[in-house]
Amino acid sequence: MASALRRCTACLHPYRPVTLRCSGRAASSSSKSKREEPEPRHIDEDIDEFDDVLGELHRRRKKMDAKRNRTGGDFVDFLRVTVRGGKGGAGTAAFLPTKRGLGPPSGGNGGPGGSVYLETSPLVTSLTSVSNRLIGGQGGHGAGNLRHGRRGDDITVVVPVGTVIREIGREGEAEKTGRENDDLGLSREERHKRTQERWFVQHPTLQPNEREMAEAEGTCRRAGRWSRPTPSFEQEPALEMDISAPLTAPVLLARGGAGGLGNPHFVSGHNRHPRLASRGVLPPTRTFEFELKLLADVGLVGLPNAGKSTLLRALTGRRAEVANYAFTTLHPQIGVVRVLEDGSWAAEQQGPVEETEQEREFDALAREVGEYVPLGRASRDRKRTERTRFSVSDNPGLLARASENYGLGHSFLRSIERSLALAYVMDGRRPDPAADMRVLRAELEAYKAGLAGRARVIALNKTDELPEDEIESKVAALRATVEEFGDNAEVLVISAKFGTGVDRVVHLLADAVDAARPKPTVKEEKPEEIVEKAEVEELF
Ligand SMILES: Nc1nc2c(ncn2[C@@H]2O[C@H](COP(=O)(O)OP(=O)(O)OP(=O)(O)O)[C@@H](O)[C@H]2O)c(=O)[nH]1
Ligand SMILES: [Mg+2]
């Protein structure tokens, strides 16, 4: 066995079993260097070198996509989804057999198609699980002996709170067939014949005549089961939803189509044996955009490689990916900063912070209804109880022209759009952090007016590597820029890597978030009301 793991004589691979086929190429200095790790790419020199940066970004995106396909999902924050209710089942033309020939009509109706519903869940944090085609189940066809088709299955799509949904297009069967008819250059009569073929099912052996068809068409039209144009956005406004709180009941995105009518519906004064039934309705196809805007209280904003993920780690103890190249972070990540009564914050603590089971349940419920208020804790150890908490999102690096969707552009900007406060992380090693700050501000403003002004902290990072006088001049330049724009932000000197100055960041952000948070509206129930409620409950 030992000989099976001998060093390969051809390529000098130390562990290649000799039984495995080796390419036989002797190890040369060039093949050796190929196996070495590639040098990390730095883009510090000029952030506007789009070709280089975008090339690097493209390579990393491709790698991530390959990984996502292998592992079945990562993080998706934008999706275009096609939604359609299920098609209704067809009705049936059938007759009860009698000794004297054709008995009364007995074709069952088709079942309605399934609908598509939307729900939220706190367990879902990304749009990864949302399919880009959501089609309700088809209704079952009717059968003889008045057996009606079964209802199509409903579909429920689950999204995280923070998802914005926009209807951007709709097209129905009438429009599609109209286009086809135009392409085929059909005459008026031919079009009508085609429509009748689409909407009627005939008895397997008995052919309906023209008059029967015309009568049945009238019945279908009156019942609203005939070809109808899809309402335009002017006639029926597009569905738009901004889900900023958990949904209490499922929301209908697309209704299933009505089932077709069995032949008993087409009986008339002069036709006791209708030989046709109608088909089910195919509902219009709607196209929606699903966009996830994360609901972190604080967003970290900075150029690539500025140290945002390192700061997130320092603040929350969360293991965000940190590396010395641009675009290490490709998707927003969220961590929670828990500030304790004694002014320290949880990531600093060696042991766990005390939190009772009851408090945990309360917190989960409060976060779900969006009314989180820190409780007076039950713990006797005042030092280790929580005063407040806020969530922080670490975001991909921002590039100049991100607002035009360059780099990771919008995917990054949309996740910070709802943050109550922002913290700019500036790389102190770059020659002019004040100029970088202008780039950040300009991009945020271009994406959404007023967004840049939400910055409460301008953190000059990596100051452990800078001499005192350089720190002073860079801080002065940053302060001048803050004043120039009239921002309500404080310039802080930090080193995210070594945790210096981070304390002040936490407290400034905690205060900013507390001030900006909508005040909870907890209704107080009066004792009499509670009694009344109890009495009512008893009655039922
Ligand atoms: N010396 C020093 N290095 C730091 C400091 N903060 C971050 N770094 C280093 O800077 C590099 C980039 O840090 P990241 O936290 O990945 O930067 P980022 O802003 O998240 O980068 P992207 O995700 O690519 O946008 C890493 O090598 C860190 O170790 C600091 O305070 N001092
Ligand atoms: Mg990062």
Side-chain angles (χ1 to χ4, degrees), residues 384-396:
R384 303 184 63 73
T385 55
E386 189 178 304
R387 178 170 67 84
T388 186
R389 71 171 69 169
F390 58 91
S391 52
V392 182
S393 70
D394 168 28
N395 296 289

Side-chain angles (χ1 to χ4, degrees), residues 307-310 321-322 327-330 394-397:
K308 301 174 293 298
S309 305
T310 313
E321 200 185 346
V322 168
F327 299 112
T328 308
T329 308
L330 289 177
D394 168 28
N395 296 289

Side-chain angles (χ1 to χ4, degrees), residues 483-499:
E483 269 173 33
E484 182 188 328
F485 288 106
D487 288 343
N488 177 20
E490 198 167 307
V491 179
L492 300 177
V493 175
I494 67 161
S495 164
K497 191 168 178 177
F498 299 102

